[in-house]
Amino acid sequence: MPELSLGDAAAADADAVNALRSAVMRLSRRLKHQRVDESLSPTEMSVLGTLARCGHATPGELARKEHVQPPSMTRIVAMLEAKGLVRLEPHPDDRRQKVVTQTEQAEAMLEESRRKRNAWLAELASGLDEDEWAALRTAAPVLEKLAQL
């Protein structure tokens, strides 16, 4: 197999990045349709997912993690609280702040959502052959790393 020149390698990398972006976006859109509770927006679900990963956070921390403005996060948290999905508790070190924690109802809903999405994705992936599954197993940790950067 001939070696790629630096220019050819850069072009191949650019093509791979483009294909990855396109595939991730299409797959993400399709996964978003596999929802348990249609009354929650994708942003509200994302906030609940962030709380599931980090345990609890202030509205300001959630705004930074979700890349939204603090006033928007305040509204999102208020909607989630009204739906019984989060609790606001006093901050242990700063009385001016509140800490947002998800409720058991939110935990159960997220678990059901994960179960539904995993089942859908497993069904979709059942069409892969063994070599494609091997490639997916290898790629999954790399994609997870990219998601965390």
Side-chain angles (χ1 to χ4, degrees):
M1 182 176 213
E3 284 191 36
L4 295 176
S5 71
L6 215 45
D8 290 340
D13 287 350
D15 288 346
V17 165
N18 188 55
L20 176 62
R21 177 200 48 78
S22 178
V24 167
M25 288 178 68
R26 284 192 320 272
L27 192 56
S28 176
R29 274 194 302 273
R30 292 176 68 191
L31 271 168
K32 284 180 184 177
H33 290 292
Q34 305 300 314
R35 297 189 331 187
V36 171
D37 187 335
E38 294 290 327
S39 71
L40 294 179
S41 72
T43 302
E44 290 169 325
M45 285 296 291
S46 182
V47 168
L48 292 177
T50 296
L51 287 171
R53 283 187 299 283
C54 69
H56 62 274
T58 66
E61 290 166 340
L62 284 172
R64 282 188 295 282
K65 289 175 192 253
E66 294 295 316
H67 306 285
V68 299
Q69 294 299 313
S72 296
M73 184 55 66
T74 299
R75 285 189 297 278
I76 292 165
V77 167
M79 287 186 281
L80 291 171
E81 184 181 30
K83 294 176 182 179
L85 298 171
V86 299
R87 284 186 304 279
L88 287 172
E89 300 166 342
H91 192 285
D93 301 323
D94 185 349
R95 292 184 320 192
R96 297 168 297 167
Q97 296 243 15
K98 297 284 185 189
V99 175
V100 183
T101 307
Q102 70 178 3
T103 63
E104 288 179 12
Q105 178 184 347
E107 289 176 33
M109 189 193 62
L110 282 172
E111 182 55 37
E112 177 61 17
S113 179
R114 281 187 210 103
R115 186 207 57 74
K116 183 177 181 182
R117 289 175 182 191
N118 285 347
W120 177 82
L121 195 52
E123 175 65 28
L124 189 67
S126 70
L128 300 177
D129 65 29
E130 189 51 44
D131 288 341
E132 290 166 329
W133 263 110
L136 184 58
R137 284 185 206 99
T138 301
V142 177
L143 292 172
E144 180 62 29
K145 182 176 180 179
L146 281 176
Q148 299 303 321
L149 294 178

Coordinates of all heavy atoms in Angstrom, one line a residue, residues 80-145:
L80 N -38.3 22.4 34.8 CA -38.1 21.1 35.3 C -38.5 20.9 36.8 O -39.1 19.8 37.1 CB -36.6 20.7 35.2 CG -36.0 20.6 33.8 CD1 -34.5 20.5 33.8 CD2 -36.7 19.4 33.1
E81 N -38.4 21.9 37.5 CA -38.9 21.9 38.9 C -40.4 21.8 39.0 O -41.0 21.0 39.7 CB -38.4 23.1 39.7 CG -38.8 23.0 41.2 CD -38.3 24.3 42.0 OE1 -38.3 25.4 41.4 OE2 -38.1 24.1 43.2
A82 N -41.1 22.6 38.1 CA -42.5 22.5 38.1 C -43.0 21.1 37.6 O -44.1 20.7 38.0 CB -43.0 23.6 37.1
K83 N -42.3 20.4 36.8 CA -42.6 19.1 36.4 C -42.2 18.0 37.4 O -42.4 16.8 37.1 CB -42.0 18.8 35.0 CG -42.6 19.7 33.9 CD -41.9 19.4 32.6 CE -42.4 20.4 31.5 NZ -41.8 20.2 30.2
G84 N -41.6 18.4 38.5 CA -41.2 17.4 39.5 C -39.9 16.7 39.2 O -39.7 15.6 39.7
L85 N -39.1 17.2 38.2 CA -38.0 16.4 37.8 C -36.7 16.9 38.4 O -35.7 16.1 38.4 CB -37.8 16.6 36.3 CG -39.0 15.9 35.5 CD1 -38.9 16.3 34.0 CD2 -39.1 14.4 35.7
V86 N -36.7 18.1 39.0 CA -35.5 18.5 39.8 C -35.9 19.2 41.1 O -37.1 19.6 41.2 CB -34.6 19.5 39.0 CG1 -34.0 18.9 37.7 CG2 -35.3 20.8 38.7
R87 N -35.0 19.2 42.0 CA -35.2 20.0 43.3 C -34.2 21.1 43.4 O -33.0 20.9 43.0 CB -35.0 19.0 44.5 CG -36.0 18.1 44.8 CD -35.7 17.3 46.1 NE -34.4 16.7 46.2 CZ -34.2 15.5 45.6 NH1 -35.2 14.8 45.0 NH2 -33.0 14.9 45.7
L88 N -34.6 22.2 44.0 CA -33.6 23.2 44.3 C -33.4 23.2 45.8 O -34.3 23.2 46.6 CB -34.2 24.6 43.9 CG -34.2 24.9 42.4 CD1 -35.0 26.2 42.1 CD2 -32.8 25.0 41.8
E89 N -32.1 23.1 46.1 CA -31.7 23.1 47.5 C -30.7 24.2 47.8 O -30.0 24.6 46.9 CB -31.1 21.7 47.9 CG -32.1 20.6 47.6 CD -31.4 19.2 47.5 OE1 -30.2 19.1 47.4 OE2 -32.2 18.2 47.7
P90 N -30.6 24.6 49.1 CA -29.7 25.6 49.4 C -28.2 25.1 49.1 O -27.9 24.0 49.3 CB -29.9 25.8 50.9 CG -31.2 25.2 51.3 CD -31.4 24.2 50.2
H91 N -27.4 26.0 48.7 CA -26.0 25.7 48.4 C -25.3 25.6 49.8 O -25.6 26.4 50.7 CB -25.4 26.9 47.6 CG -24.0 26.6 47.1 ND1 -22.9 26.5 47.9 CD2 -23.6 26.2 45.8 CE1 -21.8 26.2 47.1 NE2 -22.3 26.0 45.9
P92 N -24.5 24.6 50.0 CA -23.9 24.4 51.3 C -22.9 25.5 51.7 O -22.7 25.7 52.9 CB -23.1 23.1 51.2 CG -23.0 22.8 49.7 CD -24.1 23.6 49.0
D93 N -22.3 26.2 50.8 CA -21.3 27.2 51.1 C -21.7 28.7 50.8 O -21.1 29.6 51.3 CB -20.0 26.9 50.3 CG -19.5 25.6 50.6 OD1 -19.6 25.1 51.8 OD2 -19.0 24.9 49.7
D94 N -22.8 28.9 50.0 CA -23.2 30.2 49.6 C -24.7 30.3 49.6 O -25.4 29.8 48.7 CB -22.7 30.4 48.1 CG -22.9 31.8 47.6 OD1 -23.7 32.6 48.3 OD2 -22.4 32.2 46.5
R95 N -25.2 31.0 50.6 CA -26.7 31.1 50.8 C -27.4 31.8 49.6 O -28.6 31.7 49.5 CB -27.0 31.9 52.1 CG -26.6 31.1 53.3 CD -27.0 31.8 54.6 NE -26.8 33.3 54.4 CZ -26.8 34.1 55.4 NH1 -27.1 33.7 56.6 NH2 -26.6 35.4 55.2
R96 N -26.6 32.6 48.8 CA -27.2 33.2 47.7 C -27.5 32.3 46.5 O -28.3 32.6 45.7 CB -26.3 34.4 47.2 CG -26.1 35.4 48.2 CD -25.0 36.3 47.7 NE -23.7 35.5 47.7 CZ -22.6 35.9 47.1 NH1 -22.5 37.1 46.5 NH2 -21.6 35.2 47.0
Q97 N -26.9 31.1 46.5 CA -27.0 30.2 45.4 C -27.9 29.0 45.8 O -28.2 28.7 47.0 CB -25.6 29.6 45.1 CG -24.6 30.6 44.7 CD -24.2 30.3 43.2 OE1 -24.8 29.5 42.5 NE2 -23.1 31.0 42.9
K98 N -28.4 28.3 44.8 CA -29.1 27.1 44.9 C -28.4 26.0 44.2 O -27.6 26.2 43.3 CB -30.5 27.2 44.3 CG -31.4 28.3 45.0 CD -31.9 27.7 46.3 CE -32.9 28.7 46.9 NZ -33.3 28.4 48.2
V99 N -28.6 24.8 44.6 CA -28.1 23.6 44.0 C -29.2 22.8 43.4 O -30.3 22.6 44.0 CB -27.3 22.7 45.0 CG1 -26.8 21.4 44.3 CG2 -26.1 23.5 45.5
V100 N -29.1 22.4 42.1 CA -30.1 21.7 41.4 C -29.8 20.2 41.5 O -28.6 19.8 41.1 CB -30.2 22.1 39.9 CG1 -31.3 21.4 39.2 CG2 -30.3 23.6 39.8
T101 N -30.7 19.4 41.9 CA -30.6 17.9 42.0 C -31.8 17.3 41.3 O -32.9 17.7 41.4 CB -30.6 17.5 43.4 OG1 -29.6 18.2 44.1 CG2 -30.3 16.0 43.6
Q102 N -31.5 16.2 40.5 CA -32.6 15.5 39.9 C -33.4 14.7 40.9 O -32.9 14.3 41.9 CB -32.2 14.7 38.7 CG -31.4 13.5 39.1 CD -31.0 12.7 37.8 OE1 -31.3 13.1 36.7 NE2 -30.4 11.5 38.0
T103 N -34.7 14.5 40.6 CA -35.5 13.7 41.5 C -35.5 12.2 41.0 O -35.0 11.9 40.0 CB -37.0 14.2 41.5 OG1 -37.5 14.0 40.1 CG2 -37.1 15.6 41.9
E104 N -36.1 11.4 41.9 CA -36.2 9.9 41.5 C -37.1 9.8 40.2 O -36.8 8.9 39.4 CB -36.8 9.1 42.6 CG -35.9 9.0 43.8 CD -36.5 8.2 44.9 OE1 -37.6 7.6 44.8 OE2 -35.9 8.2 46.0
Q105 N -38.1 10.6 40.1 CA -38.9 10.6 38.8 C -38.0 10.9 37.6 O -38.2 10.2 36.6 CB -40.0 11.7 38.9 CG -40.9 11.7 37.7 CD -41.9 12.9 37.8 OE1 -42.2 13.4 38.9 NE2 -42.6 13.2 36.7
A106 N -37.1 11.8 37.7 CA -36.2 12.1 36.6 C -35.3 10.9 36.3 O -35.0 10.6 35.2 CB -35.4 13.4 36.9
E107 N -34.8 10.3 37.4 CA -33.9 9.2 37.2 C -34.6 8.1 36.5 O -34.0 7.4 35.6 CB -33.4 8.7 38.6 CG -32.4 9.6 39.3 CD -32.0 9.2 40.7 OE1 -32.0 7.9 40.9 OE2 -31.8 10.0 41.5
A108 N -35.8 7.8 36.9 CA -36.6 6.7 36.3 C -36.9 7.0 34.8 O -36.7 6.2 33.9 CB -37.9 6.5 37.0
M109 N -37.2 8.3 34.5 CA -37.5 8.7 33.1 C -36.2 8.6 32.3 O -36.3 8.1 31.1 CB -38.0 10.1 33.1 CG -38.5 10.5 31.7 SD -38.8 12.3 31.6 CE -37.1 12.9 31.9
L110 N -35.1 9.0 32.8 CA -33.8 8.9 32.1 C -33.4 7.5 31.8 O -33.0 7.1 30.7 CB -32.7 9.6 32.8 CG -32.7 11.1 32.7 CD1 -31.6 11.7 33.7 CD2 -32.4 11.6 31.3
E111 N -33.7 6.6 32.8 CA -33.4 5.2 32.6 C -34.2 4.6 31.5 O -33.7 3.8 30.7 CB -33.5 4.4 33.9 CG -33.2 3.0 33.8 CD -31.8 2.7 33.3 OE1 -30.9 3.4 33.6 OE2 -31.6 1.7 32.6
E112 N -35.5 4.9 31.5 CA -36.4 4.4 30.5 C -36.0 5.0 29.1 O -36.0 4.3 28.1 CB -37.9 4.8 30.8 CG -38.9 4.4 29.7 CD -38.9 2.9 29.5 OE1 -38.4 2.1 30.3 OE2 -39.4 2.5 28.4
S113 N -35.6 6.2 29.1 CA -35.2 6.9 27.8 C -33.9 6.2 27.3 O -33.8 5.9 26.1 CB -34.9 8.4 28.0 OG -34.4 9.0 26.9
R114 N -32.9 5.9 28.2 CA -31.7 5.2 27.8 C -32.1 3.8 27.2 O -31.5 3.4 26.2 CB -30.7 5.0 28.9 CG -30.0 6.3 29.2 CD -28.9 6.0 30.3 NE -28.7 7.2 31.0 CZ -29.2 7.5 32.2 NH1 -29.9 6.6 32.9 NH2 -28.9 8.6 32.8
R115 N -33.0 3.1 27.9 CA -33.4 1.8 27.5 C -34.0 1.8 26.1 O -33.6 1.0 25.3 CB -34.4 1.2 28.5 CG -34.7 -0.3 28.2 CD -36.0 -0.7 28.7 NE -37.2 0.1 28.2 CZ -37.6 0.0 26.9 NH1 -37.1 -0.8 26.0 NH2 -38.7 0.8 26.6
K116 N -34.9 2.8 25.9 CA -35.5 2.9 24.6 C -34.5 3.2 23.5 O -34.5 2.6 22.4 CB -36.6 3.9 24.6 CG -37.4 4.1 23.3 CD -38.5 5.1 23.5 CE -39.3 5.2 22.1 NZ -40.3 6.1 22.2
R117 N -33.6 4.2 23.7 CA -32.6 4.6 22.7 C -31.6 3.5 22.5 O -31.2 3.2 21.3 CB -32.0 5.9 23.2 CG -32.9 7.0 23.1 CD -32.3 8.3 23.6 NE -33.3 9.4 23.5 CZ -33.0 10.6 23.7 NH1 -31.7 11.0 24.0 NH2 -33.9 11.6 23.6
N118 N -31.2 2.8 23.5 CA -30.3 1.7 23.4 C -30.9 0.6 22.5 O -30.3 0.0 21.7 CB -29.8 1.1 24.7 CG -28.8 2.0 25.4 OD1 -28.2 2.9 24.8 ND2 -28.5 1.8 26.6
A119 N -32.2 0.2 22.8 CA -32.9 -0.8 22.1 C -33.0 -0.4 20.6 O -32.7 -1.2 19.7 CB -34.2 -1.1 22.7
W120 N -33.3 0.9 20.3 CA -33.4 1.3 18.9 C -32.1 1.2 18.2 O -32.0 0.7 17.1 CB -33.9 2.8 18.9 CG -34.0 3.3 17.6 CD1 -35.0 3.2 16.6 CD2 -33.0 4.1 16.9 NE1 -34.7 3.8 15.5 CE2 -33.5 4.4 15.6 CE3 -31.8 4.6 17.3 CZ2 -32.7 5.2 14.7 CZ3 -31.0 5.4 16.4 CH2 -31.5 5.7 15.1
L121 N -31.0 1.7 18.9 CA -29.7 1.7 18.3 C -29.2 0.2 18.1 O -28.6 -0.1 17.1 CB -28.7 2.5 19.2 CG -27.4 2.8 18.6 CD1 -27.5 3.5 17.2 CD2 -26.6 3.7 19.6
A122 N -29.5 -0.7 19.1 CA -29.1 -2.1 18.9 C -29.8 -2.7 17.7 O -29.2 -3.5 17.0 CB -29.4 -2.8 20.2
E123 N -31.1 -2.4 17.6 CA -31.8 -2.9 16.4 C -31.2 -2.4 15.1 O -31.0 -3.1 14.1 CB -33.3 -2.5 16.5 CG -34.1 -2.9 15.3 CD -34.3 -4.4 15.1 OE1 -34.2 -5.1 16.1 OE2 -34.4 -4.8 13.9
L124 N -30.9 -1.1 15.1 CA -30.2 -0.5 13.9 C -28.9 -1.2 13.6 O -28.6 -1.6 12.5 CB -30.1 1.0 14.1 CG -29.6 1.8 13.0 CD1 -30.7 1.9 11.9 CD2 -29.3 3.2 13.5
A125 N -28.1 -1.4 14.7 CA -26.8 -2.0 14.5 C -26.8 -3.5 14.2 O -25.8 -4.0 13.8 CB -26.0 -1.7 15.8
S126 N -28.0 -4.1 14.4 CA -28.0 -5.5 14.1 C -27.8 -5.8 12.6 O -27.5 -7.0 12.3 CB -29.4 -6.1 14.6 OG -30.4 -5.6 13.7
G127 N -27.9 -4.8 11.8 CA -27.6 -5.0 10.4 C -26.1 -4.9 10.0 O -25.8 -5.1 8.9
L128 N -25.3 -4.7 11.1 CA -23.8 -4.6 10.8 C -23.2 -6.0 10.7 O -23.7 -6.9 11.4 CB -23.1 -3.8 11.9 CG -23.6 -2.4 12.1 CD1 -22.8 -1.8 13.3 CD2 -23.3 -1.6 10.9
D129 N -22.2 -6.2 9.9 CA -21.5 -7.5 9.9 C -20.4 -7.5 11.0 O -20.2 -6.5 11.7 CB -20.9 -7.8 8.5 CG -19.8 -6.8 8.1 OD1 -19.1 -6.3 9.0 OD2 -19.7 -6.6 6.9
E130 N -19.8 -8.6 11.2 CA -18.8 -8.7 12.3 C -17.7 -7.7 12.2 O -17.2 -7.2 13.2 CB -18.3 -10.2 12.4 CG -17.5 -10.4 13.7 CD -18.2 -10.0 15.0 OE1 -19.4 -10.3 15.2 OE2 -17.5 -9.4 15.8
D131 N -17.2 -7.5 11.0 CA -16.1 -6.5 10.9 C -16.5 -5.1 11.2 O -15.8 -4.3 11.9 CB -15.5 -6.5 9.4 CG -14.8 -7.8 9.1 OD1 -14.3 -8.5 10.0 OD2 -14.6 -8.1 7.9
E132 N -17.8 -4.8 10.9 CA -18.3 -3.4 11.2 C -18.5 -3.3 12.7 O -18.2 -2.3 13.3 CB -19.6 -3.2 10.4 CG -19.4 -3.0 9.0 CD -20.7 -3.1 8.1 OE1 -21.6 -3.8 8.5 OE2 -20.7 -2.4 7.1
W133 N -19.0 -4.4 13.4 CA -19.1 -4.4 14.8 C -17.8 -4.2 15.5 O -17.6 -3.5 16.4 CB -19.7 -5.7 15.3 CG -21.2 -5.6 15.6 CD1 -22.2 -6.2 14.8 CD2 -21.9 -4.9 16.6 NE1 -23.4 -5.8 15.3 CE2 -23.2 -5.0 16.4 CE3 -21.4 -4.1 17.6 CZ2 -24.2 -4.5 17.3 CZ3 -22.3 -3.5 18.5 CH2 -23.7 -3.7 18.3
A134 N -16.7 -4.9 15.0 CA -15.4 -4.8 15.5 C -14.9 -3.3 15.4 O -14.3 -2.7 16.3 CB -14.4 -5.7 14.8
A135 N -15.2 -2.7 14.2 CA -14.8 -1.3 14.0 C -15.5 -0.4 15.0 O -15.0 0.6 15.6 CB -15.0 -0.9 12.6
L136 N -16.8 -0.7 15.2 CA -17.6 0.1 16.1 C -17.1 0.0 17.6 O -17.0 1.0 18.3 CB -19.1 -0.3 16.0 CG -20.1 0.5 16.8 CD1 -20.1 2.0 16.5 CD2 -21.5 -0.1 16.7
R137 N -16.8 -1.2 18.0 CA -16.2 -1.4 19.3 C -14.9 -0.6 19.5 O -14.7 -0.1 20.6 CB -16.0 -2.9 19.6 CG -17.2 -3.7 19.9 CD -16.9 -5.2 20.2 NE -17.9 -6.0 19.9 CZ -18.0 -6.8 18.8 NH1 -17.1 -6.8 17.9 NH2 -19.1 -7.5 18.6
T138 N -14.1 -0.6 18.5 CA -12.9 0.2 18.5 C -13.1 1.7 18.5 O -12.5 2.5 19.3 CB -12.0 -0.2 17.4 OG1 -11.7 -1.6 17.4 CG2 -10.7 0.6 17.4
A139 N -14.1 2.1 17.7 CA -14.4 3.6 17.6 C -15.1 4.1 18.8 O -15.0 5.3 19.1 CB -15.2 3.8 16.3
A140 N -15.9 3.3 19.5 CA -16.8 3.9 20.6 C -16.0 4.7 21.6 O -16.4 5.8 22.0 CB -17.6 2.8 21.2
P141 N -14.9 4.1 22.1 CA -14.1 4.9 23.1 C -13.5 6.2 22.5 O -13.5 7.2 23.2 CB -13.0 4.0 23.6 CG -13.4 2.6 23.2 CD -14.3 2.8 22.0
V142 N -13.2 6.2 21.3 CA -12.6 7.4 20.6 C -13.7 8.4 20.5 O -13.5 9.6 20.8 CB -12.0 7.0 19.3 CG1 -11.5 8.3 18.6 CG2 -10.9 6.0 19.4
L143 N -14.9 8.0 20.1 CA -16.0 8.9 20.0 C -16.4 9.5 21.4 O -16.7 10.7 21.5 CB -17.3 8.2 19.4 CG -17.1 7.9 17.9 CD1 -18.3 7.0 17.4 CD2 -16.9 9.1 17.0
E144 N -16.4 8.7 22.4 CA -16.6 9.1 23.8 C -15.6 10.2 24.2 O -15.9 11.2 24.8 CB -16.6 7.9 24.7 CG -16.9 8.3 26.2 CD -18.2 8.9 26.4 OE1 -19.2 8.6 25.7 OE2 -18.4 9.8 27.3
K145 N -14.3 9.9 23.8 CA -13.3 10.9 24.2 C -13.6 12.2 23.4 O -13.5 13.3 24.0 CB -11.9 10.4 23.8 CG -10.8 11.3 24.1 CD -9.4 10.7 23.8 CE -8.3 11.7 24.2 NZ -7.0 11.2 23.9

